[in-house]
Amino acid sequence: MTLAAPARAEMELNFYTGYQTAPHSRVTGTRGASSGSTSFDSLIGWQGKSFSAPPYYGLRATWWRPSNVGFGLEFSHNKVYAPAAEMPAGFSRLEFTDGLNIITANISKRWPGAWGGSITPYVSGGLGISMPHVDVTEGTNVTYGYQVTGAAARVTAGAKYQLNDRWSIFGEYQFTWSQNSADLAGGGNLNTRIFTNALNIGVGFSF
């Protein structure tokens, strides 16, 4: 009689890229004293430009328990550009492209072999922070640097195909939400809630 091998803990590392977009969202804020301390309010149709440098990508580490519940950390280099025609008056640049960086602590669930011997579907959710590279030019004021701008969350659903006992490939859909409040040069501020949608492909390594 052959006994099934007991389930064991496993660490999995994933790298992915893909096609990421972002729907419209409203940008509000206040210009600094040098620009008259006036407020602005614009609806922006963000552009993702996933394959323009620097490209969209993500990294994920998951510690899978024998129950097939996993705990981990994830970083995704999301990015959004505001089209020139939709920026608030006086702005010549408004983007988070180096990038709209989302960092979350995740909890995941997988179902090994549910769709065939080598295919494993999974879902994941996480909470964390948004740490974008804020790139804004408003008049003579230039904001250019990383800031922690608020809370963030992500939801992922996908499936992986096991190539061997170490390597796998996967495809997934991922949604992120981030609330961003950034300080602008000259004493102003900018606030926006950004959603992203992405179709990812990637490679995984388990040990």
Side-chain angles (χ1 to χ4, degrees):
M1 181 177 63
T2 301
L3 297 177
R8 60 180 179 84
E10 171 192 354
M11 180 63 71
E12 182 175 23
L13 305 178
N14 298 124
F15 172 79
Y16 58 83
T17 186
Y19 179 66
Q20 174 246 298
T21 63
H24 287 68
S25 71
R26 193 160 293 280
V27 172
T28 62
T30 304
R31 295 178 173 86
S34 62
S35 300
S37 297
T38 58
S39 61
F40 56 86
D41 186 336
S42 297
L43 184 64
I44 306 295
W46 300 105
Q47 299 174 341
K49 300 184 182 180
S50 302
F51 307 113
S52 298
Y56 161 71
Y57 68 90
L59 303 167
R60 180 169 60 231
T62 306
W63 181 46
W64 291 106
R65 304 297 297 142
S67 60
N68 287 310
V69 172
F71 303 92
L73 296 173
E74 185 165 357
F75 166 85
S76 58
H77 185 271
N78 308 71
K79 52 186 208 158
V80 291
Y81 299 74
E86 299 179 12
M87 294 184 198
F91 283 65
S92 58
R93 190 178 182 92
L94 171 53
E95 58 186 58
F96 304 114
T97 55
D98 208 20
L100 177 68
N101 301 303
I102 307 297
I103 304 167
T104 58
N106 297 344
I107 183 168
S108 307
K109 175 65 177 176
R110 65 181 180 181
W111 295 269
W115 293 353
S118 298
I119 302 177
T120 297
Y122 58 87
V123 295
S124 180
L127 297 173
I129 61 170
S130 177
M131 193 175 69
H133 189 274
V134 183
D135 190 351
V136 176
T137 302
E138 185 266 316
T140 59
N141 297 319
V142 177
T143 305
Y144 190 79
Y146 292 98
Q147 299 183 35
V148 176
T149 55
R154 80 172 82 241
V155 177
T156 307
K160 73 171 184 177
Y161 179 80
Q162 203 69 38
L163 299 173
N164 54 43
D165 61 347
R166 296 293 187 190
W167 294 95
S168 61
I169 55 176
F170 62 90
E172 64 186 27
Y173 163 77
Q174 186 172 103
F175 168 85
T176 74
W177 164 91
S178 61
Q179 185 68 47
N180 300 279
S181 181
D183 296 324
L184 300 181
N189 64 80
L190 180 148
N191 304 285
T192 185
R193 180 180 298 134
I194 297 177
F195 305 98
T196 70
N197 296 284
L199 295 175
N200 300 329
I201 57 173
V203 60
F205 178 75
S206 299
F207 57 96

